[in-house]
Amino acid sequence: MSESTRLDAFPLFVRKQTQKIPAKITALSVDRRQFLKISGVSVGSGFILAACSEQTAEMQSAPVSCASQHDLNVFISIDCDDTVTLTLHRSEMGQGIRTGLAQVLADELDAEWSKLKFEQALGDEKYGSQNTDGSRSIRHDYARLRKLAATARTMLEHAAAQVWETDLSNVEAKAHAVHHKLNNRRLSYGALAELAAGQSIPDDSAIKLKAHTDFNYIGKAIDLIDIDALTSGSAVFGYDVQVPDMLYASIERCPVLGGKLKRCHEDEARKVPGVVDIITLPQNTVPVLFQAWHGVVVIATNTWAATQGREKLTCDWDLGKNAEHNSQAYFEMLKSRVNEDCEPTNSLGDVEAAFDNAASTHEAVYQVPYQPHAPMEVPAAVADVSDSGCEIWSCTQAPQGARDHVAQALGMAKENIKVNVTFLGGAFGRKSKHDFCVEAALISKAVGKPVKVCWTREDDIRFDYYHAMSAQYFKASFDKDAQVTGWLQRTAFPSIVSIFAPEYGNTNPEWELDLGFDELPVAVKNIRHEKGKSEAHVRIGWLRSVANIHHAFARSSFIDELAHKARQHPLSFFEQIMGPDRIFEPKNENWNYSNYGETTESNPISTARLKAVARTVVEKSDFTQNAAENSGWGLAASRSFLAYVAIASKVSVVDEHLTIEEVHCAIDCGLAVNPDRVRSQMEGAVIFGMSIALMGEISVRDGQVEQSNFDDFLLARMRQSPKKIVVHIIDSKEVPAGVGEPGLPPVAPSIANAIFAATGNRIRELPINKVYSV
């Protein structure tokens, strides 16, 4: 697998090059047609600011064209009517990223909120990364957008100083206009737009970013910019898209990954009124990547006809070698592997000596099953393929990736593929895989008309890219003073790499272990980490918080077990095992910690911040081990995607029925651009984590997923939700960290630890409904 393949395949995990503010920022005065070519934004001529990579002098003086601007990242346009337009390049799926990016722009530009306009970007690398996953949109774009907006503001000030023939120090941009400090004159941004476009680009030393105390929007709970569209029903999601002459496709997929069609009886399906054609998608090859899943496609003039025709197909499949896969037997194999010596990934001191000399030891094995994404809106895509190219409309998290994989499947140049991004009805990582876009494109090419691929809920659950099932083994030793002297942990789970490069797929790369396993900052002198082999038999993909889900469950559960064995309060023991306040650097000579794509200089691991969120939930929640009979509190804390989150859950268990009474969450995500969005993401993470903890499970028998809909794959219902969810946001001026994913990992272990406090019964295997009714 080449380096370029690795970077494309794993964009949210690999360490990127140290991000720098663009070396040059170019002001462009262009007409409407030129602007449309560059950005796809429909506005009149005006002032455009574009962040560019390093450019030659020839490029800067060249006429505006797509070819010379291929490195563009983000555009800011100021129209003559005073409107500021931001072309938003990330996908909106309810997390509020469009609003957050707008806050950053408007604040540093000192624009009036009512005069902002927003357009969704097409899939194009000129915007930089558009992958809306990995909890990185704000943390990657915050500094860049601020610099762009501050540069635009400075250029507007230069233009006003020129009009008034005064020194730059006598003017100030404020509230969507430039003001003369020595008199009451003002010029609106719109009035200055054309002149500003002709200004020389200021040196970096002349561009002044706002002080935090001067922020108008950053750090404020601004309402979603899309709230009216979302609540009125006018917002267009992937499944809403309709284009003229569109056909509908429903796919009967091979029930096992890697199987192939032997024969299919289509006669009855073709008799269904409205059915236009039946075709077969190609058999899958290795690596599976984001190929269309092999199957028989019924194409019709409406959804009903397509689904009815599909039901009348009779297909005979050769299910292949993965038909031998059974998840329960696979669990037993994983557990047996982690109970034996595995491949070391990190070590410190002499663990075996610590165990040999211990006053006592404690060990445990934990397991977490496969999990699907199951967003409320299933995957959806419309494709219109012609001889000249292809246009896609899709609820995609990664439009550039969708474009590239569609181009490869069609044998077209990616420049001839246009990807329109709709709103997403949830995603959690599922819609950063492009198989559904490829399906639509291949079918449209076959029939010569626009086609919408109609996934059902059953398709969504049975043909997902699943979060890996896992088994983990932990062992620790104590000295006579109940201090932990040795720590051994092993993990085994099928790797995401398996869909990209199966030859590496039976082991986990470093970056996958960086997600909650090797980054553990415990203050123990003797440590060893090991990984076990684990082959993949289903498509493995990244789900919200990825491997942190199972790693945090096992680690936080084990820390609570050790606290009980040491007869200490969970918080006291957690602070003790985390050690003194320090910056932890998780690396050795064989391992370069990826740190979610950031440097440890800019985003270090701080044990002080981790302990602070744990203290916060304990202090704010009236956490006590002396709760009422049959009830108890549980604590868990973790760092993921550069943010620190702790969860304290209170449960009661009566007549073998579990009730989650109350949940407190504390997050330190650095600067919170929109606290209301942070709060909503934490509340959503609690419910999402509850679903995984209480009921979430995908099981496989004979290679086929047994679940199919929300009657057998269960999500948390309102009656199961806590009476109270309280979110505490730590006030911080640190650089922004991730928010969408970090709230999830501590939820399940906090509930499991609370069950122990209430009942004395340890939960080491999820889901919990195998033990208690919920």
Side-chain angles (χ1 to χ4, degrees):
M1 184 166 59
S2 68
E3 181 65 22
S4 61
T5 300
R6 287 198 296 272
L7 293 175
D8 290 339
F10 315 123
L12 73 164
F13 307 117
V14 298
R15 182 189 295 277
K16 64 175 175 30
Q17 296 297 318
T18 302
Q19 186 175 359
K20 297 180 179 178
I21 299 300
K24 294 181 174 64
I25 299 184
T26 304
L28 309 171
S29 183
V30 301
D31 64 21
R32 174 184 172 85
R33 185 175 299 277
Q34 289 173 315
F35 187 48
L36 286 170
K37 287 181 179 178
I38 298 171
S39 66
V41 180
S42 300
V43 297
S45 61
F47 170 43
I48 305 167
L49 192 68
C52 308
S53 64
E54 295 275 3
Q55 298 181 3
T56 65
E58 290 78 9
M59 290 175 67
Q60 293 180 51
S61 61
V64 175
S65 70
C66 289
S68 64
Q69 297 296 332
H70 62 84
D71 289 327
L72 294 174
N73 292 322
V74 179
F75 294 94
I76 301 169
S77 168
I78 302 178
D79 205 355
C80 296
D81 67 357
D82 229 18
T83 300
V84 172
T85 299
L86 170 66
T87 302
L88 302 168
H89 62 304
R90 302 286 183 169
S91 300
E92 180 61 57
M93 60 197 92
Q95 83 281 36
I97 187 55
R98 284 165 53 92
T99 305
L101 295 178
Q103 287 177 252
V104 177
L105 163 72
D107 214 326
E108 203 61 68
L109 187 62
D110 227 307
E112 291 184 2
W113 194 257
S114 62
K115 296 182 179 180
L116 295 177
K117 180 182 175 183
F118 313 100
E119 299 286 349
Q120 184 67 42
L122 300 172
D124 197 313
E125 56 270 321
K126 67 189 178 186
Y127 299 109
S129 173
Q130 292 178 268
N131 288 352
T132 313
D133 55 14
S135 297
R136 58 186 168 177
S137 294
I138 286 292
R139 61 184 172 98
H140 279 194
D141 289 325
Y142 177 75
R144 179 171 56 173
L145 282 180
R146 287 190 68 192
K147 182 68 176 289
L148 279 169
T151 302
R153 169 168 44 82
T154 304
M155 295 173 71
L156 289 161
E157 290 172 337
H158 276 281
Q162 182 178 334
V163 170
W164 291 323
E165 297 181 340
T166 188
D167 190 79
L168 184 64
S169 62
N170 293 328
V171 303
E172 178 185 20
K174 187 175 182 180
H176 223 90
V178 180
H179 302 259
H180 200 305
K181 296 178 182 179
L182 304 182
N183 52 53
N184 292 324
R185 286 185 291 178
R186 66 184 292 278
L187 288 168
S188 70
Y189 284 174
L192 291 167
E194 185 174 357
L195 185 58
Q199 299 297 310
S200 298
I201 302 302
D203 292 335
D204 283 357
S205 60
I207 300 170
K208 306 297 182 185
L209 298 179
K210 279 186 172 184
H212 286 202
T213 53
D214 294 330
F215 285 158
N216 296 317
Y217 307 119
I218 296 173
K220 307 297 192 299
I222 303 293
D223 289 341
L224 290 174
I225 63 173
D226 301 307
I227 191 66
D228 290 342
L230 293 169
T231 55
S232 68
S234 62
V236 176
F237 291 83
Y239 229 99
D240 296 329
V241 173
Q242 306 244 1
V243 301
D245 299 321
M246 183 175 76
L247 297 175
Y248 299 80
S250 184
I251 306 173
E252 182 67 14
R253 296 171 179 85
C254 179
V256 177
L257 178 65
K260 63 181 179 181
L261 181 68
K262 293 197 291 187
R263 65 187 66 85
C264 183
H265 300 289
E266 305 172 358
D267 293 347
E268 294 302 313
R270 291 185 181 275
K271 294 177 184 178
V272 174
V275 170
V276 173
D277 200 358
I278 298 176
I279 66 172
T280 301
L281 290 173
Q283 184 180 353
N284 297 121
T285 57
V286 175
V288 66
L289 292 170
F290 305 127
Q291 298 173 43
W293 191 292
H294 177 46
V296 180
V297 187
V298 177
I299 304 154
T301 56
N302 58 76
T303 306
W304 176 255
T307 55
Q308 290 300 298
R310 174 182 171 184
E311 288 182 5
K312 296 199 178 285
L313 293 172
T314 303
C315 297
D316 186 12
W317 305 96
D318 178 352
L319 298 179
K321 65 178 182 179
N322 284 326
E324 300 174 1
H325 179 51
N326 290 281
S327 53
Q328 189 55 47
Y330 190 72
F331 257 138
E332 298 305 317
M333 180 190 70
L334 291 182
K335 287 191 289 186
S336 68
R337 287 181 178 177
V338 297
N339 271 289
E340 299 175 351
D341 291 342
C342 297
E343 179 185 348
T345 64
N346 196 15
S347 64
L348 177 69
D350 189 338
V351 169
E352 294 303 329
F355 291 166
D356 290 342
N357 297 320
S360 63
T361 60
H362 184 70
E363 58 187 338
V365 176
Y366 304 90
Q367 65 182 66
V368 177
Y370 291 125
Q371 301 289 336
H373 296 82
M376 287 297 100
E377 179 197 31
V378 298
V382 173
D384 186 6
V385 178
S386 66
D387 291 340
S388 59
C390 172
E391 185 164 9
I392 299 282
W393 295 261
S394 179
C395 48
T396 175
Q397 291 178 255
Q400 292 177 36
R403 177 203 60 188
D404 294 350
H405 282 271
V406 166
Q408 182 179 19
L410 295 177
M412 290 184 175
K414 66 180 182 181
E415 291 77 15
N416 296 331
I417 311 295
K418 179 180 179 181
V419 178
N420 303 278
V421 182
T422 67
F423 285 103
L424 286 67
F428 313 121
R430 174 61 180 95
K431 294 169 184 174
S432 58
K433 291 85 172 172
H434 318 298
D435 56 321
F436 55 102
C437 295
V438 172
E439 288 175 345
L442 291 175
I443 300 167
S444 175
K445 180 180 180 180
V447 299
K449 286 190 175 183
V451 171
K452 176 188 284 187
V453 172
C454 303
W455 280 60
T456 65
R457 177 60 62 194
E458 288 79 5
D459 295 332
D460 175 52
I461 289 179
R462 288 174 174 163
F463 302 102
D464 199 356
Y465 288 79
Y466 300 99
H467 173 75
M469 66 190 307
S470 70
Q472 294 175 80
Y473 171 86
F474 280 71
K475 182 178 180 180
S477 57
F478 288 96
D479 64 16
K480 60 182 179 57
D481 298 319
Q483 299 294 308
V484 178
T485 59
W487 181 287
L488 170 64
Q489 61 183 39
R490 300 183 183 124
T491 187
F493 59 100
S495 174
I496 291 169
V497 174
S498 60
I499 65 171
F500 297 97
E503 63 270 26
Y504 299 108
N506 65 350
T507 188
N508 305 97
E510 292 175 357
W511 57 260
E512 212 164 13
L513 301 177
D514 291 345
L515 307 177
F517 186 73
D518 275 337
E519 64 177 352
L520 183 68
V522 294
V524 179
K525 293 182 178 180
N526 303 289
I527 296 174
R528 189 165 73 241
H529 302 171
E530 300 174 1
K531 63 178 180 179
K533 292 187 180 299
S534 43
E535 303 79 8
H537 301 282
V538 299
R539 295 194 298 188
I540 302 297
W542 47 96
L543 170 70
R544 187 180 189 179
S545 82
V546 205
N548 287 288
I549 294 174
H550 47 265
H551 288 149
F553 171 66
R555 181 186 66 240
S556 296
S557 296
F558 190 64
I559 288 175
D560 194 74
E561 293 195 33
L562 297 183
H564 177 73
K565 186 172 179 65
R567 299 183 179 180
Q568 293 189 37
H569 187 278
L571 176 61
S572 299
F573 185 83
F574 180 80
E575 292 182 311
Q576 173 187 309
I577 201 164
M578 290 298 116
D581 293 350
R582 69 196 192 283
I583 299 301
F584 176 71
E585 185 71 19
K587 66 180 181 180
N588 59 34
E589 64 276 7
N590 299 317
W591 171 44
N592 186 19
Y593 177 57
S594 60
N595 199 31
Y596 301 93
E598 307 292 345
T599 67
T600 51
E601 290 76 20
S602 63
N603 294 88
I605 299 176
S606 166
T607 60
R609 295 174 72 183
L610 184 57
K611 289 187 289 185
V613 292
R615 282 195 299 271
T616 298
V617 291
V618 169
E619 293 168 358
K620 299 290 187 180
S621 65
D622 192 29
F623 190 108
T624 175
Q625 288 183 301
N626 299 314
E629 186 179 2
N630 301 319
S631 67
W633 283 93
L635 173 67
S638 70
R639 175 190 183 267
S640 65
F641 299 90
L642 311 179
Y644 303 81
V645 177
I647 299 285
S649 298
K650 182 181 181 181
V651 308
S652 61
V653 181
V654 178
D655 296 330
E656 301 301 302
H657 180 79
L658 171 67
T659 301
I660 301 175
E661 306 282 356
E662 185 175 342
V663 174
H664 284 251
C665 169
I667 178 171
D668 179 351
C669 60
L671 175 67
V673 169
N674 189 323
D676 189 51
R677 293 296 91 204
V678 175
R679 185 169 287 105
S680 68
Q681 286 291 292
M682 293 305 103
E683 292 167 345
V686 168
I687 301 302
F688 198 105
M690 281 177 50
S691 293
I692 291 175
L694 300 184
M695 302 162 293
E697 180 178 25
I698 289 294
S699 58
V700 179
R701 182 184 295 274
D702 299 329
Q704 302 180 43
V705 171
E706 295 186 293
Q707 291 73 24
S708 63
N709 209 314
F710 292 140
D711 60 335
D712 51 11
F713 174 74
L714 304 176
L715 298 176
R717 278 15 184 209
M718 291 180 66
R719 64 175 175 80
Q720 297 167 314
S721 300
K723 299 181 178 69
K724 185 194 304 187
I725 300 176
V726 184
V727 178
H728 312 278
I729 302 173
I730 305 298
D731 185 28
S732 175
K733 298 300 186 292
E734 298 286 345
V735 296
V739 170
E741 292 164 277
L744 176 59
V747 175
S750 74
I751 295 171
N753 294 339
I755 290 172
F756 175 78
T759 68
N761 184 24
R762 283 291 176 193
I763 301 294
R764 294 173 175 167
E765 177 184 348
L766 297 182
I768 296 169
N769 66 354
K770 292 183 176 181
V771 180
Y772 298 106
S773 66
V774 295

